[in-house]
Amino acid sequence: MSESAERALTSRLRLAVVRLNRRLRAQRTNSSVTLTQISALSCLHKCGPLTPGELAAKEGVQPPSMTRVIAALEELGYASRSPHPSDGRQAIVALTDDGRAYIEADISAREAWLDKRLAELDDEDRAVLARAADIIDRMAGNQN
């Protein structure tokens, strides 16, 4: 691939990802919850209870920033802190039932929109997107 073709691919891919992300964000169920808070809720939903430090590391933010996010989620009733079972200096952050219901509804709304878009494609296009999703995940550093 030529250098100019690679630059064009870079630009097209960046724009496509930005546009898709924007459309998915538009499907949010509650705009009073910030994207950072949704990301933390999603992480807790996927990983289960974590210490604030573990959550900050997984989210790629500094612990003081995560402390503010956790406090906001607690105020909303979406997360709770409990004492760490073996380290009295630590806490464990977990989703509450309301937090779990919120994030599951949010995920469901976004996936319903995406399901409709995917249903409009033929089998070949869906297969290409399945492969592209794996590649994009690798590029993003996710080794699932």
Side-chain angles (χ1 to χ4, degrees), residues 62-126:
Q62 294 299 312
S65 298
M66 185 52 66
T67 299
R68 288 188 293 275
V69 170
I70 293 167
L73 292 173
E74 285 181 302
E75 190 172 309
L76 290 166
Y78 291 162
S80 64
R81 279 186 246 215
S82 60
H84 192 284
S86 63
D87 184 349
R89 300 167 297 163
Q90 291 280 351
I92 298 292
V93 181
L95 290 178
T96 62
D97 289 341
D98 286 347
R100 186 169 291 98
Y102 172 81
I103 199 63
E104 287 174 358
D106 190 73
I107 291 168
S108 181
R110 292 178 199 216
E111 288 186 356
W113 178 85
L114 195 51
D115 281 342
K116 287 179 187 176
R117 301 298 77 76
L118 289 170
E120 297 167 356
L121 303 175
D122 61 29
D123 289 343
E124 183 179 338
D125 283 346
R126 283 193 297 275

Side-chain angles (χ1 to χ4, degrees), residues 11-66:
S11 182
R12 288 179 53 221
L13 182 58
R14 179 186 55 78
L15 285 172
V17 168
V18 166
R19 287 177 181 142
L20 179 60
N21 190 38
R22 187 179 304 137
R23 292 300 304 265
L24 287 170
R25 280 193 322 246
Q27 307 310 308
R28 292 181 53 206
T29 57
N30 178 349
S31 62
S32 67
V33 179
T34 69
L35 294 174
T36 302
Q37 292 165 351
I38 288 174
S39 185
L41 287 172
S42 294
C43 186
L44 290 169
H45 185 258
K46 178 181 177 184
C47 299
L50 299 167
T51 66
E54 291 169 333
L55 184 56
K58 286 185 178 293
E59 290 296 294
V61 300
Q62 294 299 312
S65 298
M66 185 52 66

